Structures are given as structure tokens and as C-alpha cells.
Amino acid sequence: MFFAPLNLATKYNYLDEKFQAAYKWLAETDLGNTPVGSYPVCEGVTANVQEYTTFPASEGSFETHDKFFDIQYVISGKEQFGYCKREGLVLKEEQPENDLKFYQEPALSGTVLLLPGDLIVVAPEDAHKPRCCADGPEFVRKVVVKVKV
């Protein structure tokens, strides 16, 4: 699945060498046995293996990044992943040292159900709300690959 407004589909090359390196790392790494932590993939690409328990969407916030794309890949478990366009959101909190901005809940947004083996690529123009439970809290093991813009 590839989901983007047409202007972003032509702005970014989701198959350039940094993305290809990230996809290859995800495909060739034994993710079930890779410890939680951060792993350099290549220049400008870092994979972060995470584990957590999902929570109700009402407890989370939409977030964005200015300097990185996120490739979020579910190893095990499932989560309801929130999505909306960044434009027009009201900023709630900013953590520039982490390239992270949080927003007030928008009037309209959507979600994608991420199952084991699914990935979603989030551009800087996209707001996303990860870690939301699908049908109740669940343990999730996931990799978030950061790809420098």
C-alpha cells in the first residue's frame, strides 16, 4: 500500500537508496531475535526496535517529524495507527531535540490497522498517532526506521 497526496508522491522518491536500504534491512534481519535498541542501517538511516503495550487512541496524540520519514514495521501484535495531514493541526508540544511535535486532536482523522509484517511510511507532511490498540491493549514488537529527509 502506498498512500499519499499526489504532490507528495512526486516530491519524494520512496524507492531511493536510503529507503531501499531500510526495506532490505527489515527483510534480512532476524527481527524476532533482535534486541530492543537502535541500529545504524546506512548513512541517514537508523532502525529502532521497540516493544510496548498499545493503549486507547484517546490517550495518544498525533505527532510529526521535520527531519525524518518514519517507516513503521510491525513484527508482532497489532495496532490501530492514526493518520491525518499535518497542515492545519494545532501544535500542543514541541521537542526539537527529538525532532518531535505533538498536536491537539483534529476534528477528522483516519486509521490503518497494522498487522505483523505490515509497514507504513510516514512523510514529514503526515501526522500520525502510533501505539493505539485495535481491540484492546496488546503487546507489540515493532521497528521504526528513521530515514533522513
Side-chain angles (χ1 to χ4, degrees):
M1 175 182 102
F2 174 76
F3 175 76
L6 184 57
N7 65 328
L8 291 186
T10 56
K11 179 178 181 180
Y12 299 119
N13 178 2
Y14 292 94
L15 294 177
D16 83 7
E17 62 187 50
K18 289 188 285 188
F19 284 97
Q20 292 288 353
Y23 304 144
K24 181 178 181 183
W25 188 89
L26 288 169
E28 294 179 355
T29 303
D30 180 5
L31 297 173
N33 292 309
T34 302
V36 169
S38 189
Y39 300 89
V41 175
C42 68
E43 182 69 32
V45 181
T46 303
N48 300 292
V49 178
Q50 305 173 347
E51 294 179 343
Y52 53 85
T53 300
T54 59
F55 48 74
S58 61
E59 295 177 14
S61 295
F62 278 92
E63 62 185 63
T64 62
H65 313 289
D66 293 327
K67 300 175 184 173
F68 292 91
F69 290 84
D70 273 3
I71 301 174
Q72 301 213 7
Y73 176 83
V74 176
I75 301 165
S76 63
K78 64 182 173 294
E79 73 177 61
Q80 203 70 42
F81 189 87
Y83 171 85
C84 68
K85 291 179 171 62
R86 176 185 195 158
E87 185 179 340
L89 294 180
V90 177
L91 186 64
K92 172 168 78 169
E93 179 186 346
E94 191 170 2
Q95 297 176 5
E97 68 280 4
N98 296 323
D99 186 35
L100 194 54
K101 293 179 181 174
F102 293 102
Y103 298 88
Q104 293 179 9
E105 189 69 21
L108 295 173
S109 64
T111 64
V112 176
L113 177 63
L114 297 178
L115 300 171
D118 289 344
L119 67 79
I120 190 164
V121 180
V122 183
E125 291 84 355
D126 300 327
H128 57 289
K129 187 192 294 189
R131 301 183 175 209
C132 299
C133 55
D135 56 2
E138 181 169 344
F139 178 79
V140 170
R141 184 168 168 79
K142 181 166 81 175
V143 179
V144 178
V145 183
K146 306 298 271 187
V147 177
K148 191 167 179 66
V149 173

